[in-house]
Amino acid sequence: MSAVILSGKTYAQELKNQAKINLTELIRQTGVTPGLAVIIVGADPASQVYVRNKHRTCREMGINSQVISLPENTGKSALITAIKKLNEDVSVHGILLQLPLPKTLQPYESEILYNINPSKDVDGFHPVNVGKLSIGEKCMVPCTPLGCIKMLESAGIPIDGKNAVIIGRSNIVGKPMANLLLAKNATVTICHSHTQNLKDITRTADILIAAVGRPAFVTADMIKPGAAIIDVGINRIAPKKLVGDVDFTAVKEKAAFITPVPGGVGLLTIATLMQNTIEAARQQLL
Ligand code: NDP
């Protein structure tokens, strides 16, 4: 039997509806409209699309939004100065630095991110938030993994006591995903490029999260029948063709639940960013 396809659009709308309720309540209590500032350095076309989508969604939701576009040749100190200015700006409650940075700034990525005030760090990349997540304290949680958890929960897919396998150990997806699943009492395994016998591990997964960045990396023989498959990957295989990390056509015949790409996890990432921005504002204002 073919898997249930988890539509990002449906679950993202649910999250946005909830966010809108929280937003209305916050504005009623404080009289302040939350504000998000997104900094983009350079002209990477994919990043520009992501930033435009974030800006548009803020506007639709009723969140103030500003985009700070800096030239490709911006230096580290100029970028840090721009971040510090936003830290001081009381009308800005969330700050997001769009990644990837241009090549010249990439060696300084962590150092630059550390300058974002942790309470405005709506991407959850600051070490204070990373540390709090790892010890199970309330914090800003990275948007993509948070979206995956919300989707699993909304779809009624059990997490407690289940085997969850994550392929990928990046700081923005794999590691926070592991911490969130652990906090929900899953038994978590993280795989990466040095993992041996990957297929043997993925076949144990009740929940399989693919965050590799390689088209059709997860094939049907890697899946436990009846598993829930969350495909985080976004791979451009032609100018207008995006695919995930999972061989969707084959895997959907064996899995119980599967997310499509496009139209899956990516849509939840923006919805959780809206939630994080409202929550950041709430914590700063109340
Ligand atoms: P990274 O490149 O930072 O991480 C990829 C991970 O995959 C690494 O941990 C790497 O292992 C692992 N990996 C690579 N090859 C193999 C292999 N052969 N076997 C097992 N593991 C392997 O990517 P990100 O985490 O940033 O992103 C992953 C994907 O998710 C990308 O396609 C990205 O575009 C997408 N993405 C989607 C988002 C959304 O909103 N839907 C948001 C963020 C990312 P190692 O650490 O050993 O190198």
Side-chain angles (χ1 to χ4, degrees):
M1 208 178 74
S2 204
V4 171
I5 295 171
L6 302 172
S7 155
K9 202 172 170 189
T10 307
Y11 295 107
Q13 193 55 53
E14 267 181 29
L15 289 181
K16 284 195 277 186
N17 292 346
Q18 185 55 53
K20 186 76 192 170
I21 293 169
N22 296 348
L23 177 68
T24 307
E25 177 59 15
L26 181 63
I27 294 173
R28 189 192 65 76
Q29 283 178 297
T30 63
V32 177
T33 301
L36 174 69
V38 177
I39 305 175
I40 177 168
V41 187
D44 175 61
S47 293
Q48 286 184 328
V49 172
Y50 294 142
V51 170
R52 258 202 310 277
N53 288 343
K54 287 166 187 171
H55 183 63
R56 197 190 55 226
T57 311
C58 278
R59 288 294 161 97
E60 285 166 7
M61 295 280 306
I63 293 173
N64 289 333
S65 165
Q66 55 171 300
V67 176
I68 291 132
S69 296
L70 300 175
E72 183 91 22
N73 63 357
T74 301
K76 181 182 79 171
S77 57
L79 179 51
I80 291 174
T81 301
I83 290 171
K84 287 185 169 164
K85 204 168 151 205
L86 295 171
N87 284 341
E88 299 303 318
D89 185 339
V90 291
S91 71
V92 171
H93 305 94
I95 303 171
L96 185 151
L97 177 62
Q98 184 65 40
L99 301 178
L101 291 171
K103 285 228 156 24
T104 50
L105 287 173
Q106 280 175 14
Y108 311 109
E109 184 181 296
S110 299
E111 185 187 340
I112 293 164
L113 287 170
Y114 292 177
N115 283 279
I116 297 177
N117 177 339
S119 62
K120 295 190 178 187
D121 171 36
V122 282
D123 248 344
F125 294 161
H126 191 284
V128 165
N129 286 316
V130 175
K132 283 185 171 180
L133 181 62
S134 75
I135 57 171
E137 274 189 22
K138 199 169 160 47
C139 61
M140 287 289 137
V141 176
C143 300
T144 301
L146 183 59
C148 294
I149 290 283
K150 301 259 181 195
M151 190 187 241
L152 287 167
E153 289 185 328
S154 287
I157 296 167
I159 303 176
D160 195 315
K162 298 296 174 187
N163 287 339
V165 175
I166 304 158
I167 318 177
R169 58 173 166 180
S170 71
N171 292 337
I172 63 170
V173 186
K175 285 177 191 157
M177 190 76 245
N179 276 322
L180 288 172
L181 287 163
L182 204 53
K184 299 282 176 190
N185 297 323
T187 302
V188 180
T189 309
I190 309 178
C191 303
H192 47 77
S193 66
H194 295 249
T195 298
Q196 297 187 358
N197 307 320
L198 179 65
K199 199 183 289 184
D200 292 344
I201 300 170
T202 57
R203 278 181 181 153
T204 67
D206 302 303
I207 299 167
L208 179 64
I209 315 274
V212 187
R214 292 198 189 183
F217 182 83
V218 175
T219 48
D221 59 338
M222 295 169 74
I223 300 296
K224 175 177 176 176
I229 313 296
I230 306 294
D231 191 352
V232 179
I234 301 178
N235 307 292
R236 190 172 293 280
I237 56 166
K240 289 196 169 168
K241 176 106 177 120
L242 292 180
V243 297
D245 289 345
V246 176
D247 177 358
F248 183 82
T249 310
V251 169
K252 81 173 183 345
E253 298 308 321
K254 210 168 163 189
F257 299 92
I258 189 167
T259 62
V261 178
V265 170
L267 297 173
L268 275 91
T269 298
I270 295 188
T272 49
L273 174 65
M274 299 300 115
Q275 287 200 326
N276 280 359
T277 303
I278 296 161
E279 179 56 22
R282 199 186 65 75
Q283 286 177 21
Q284 287 161 52
L285 294 167
L286 292 177

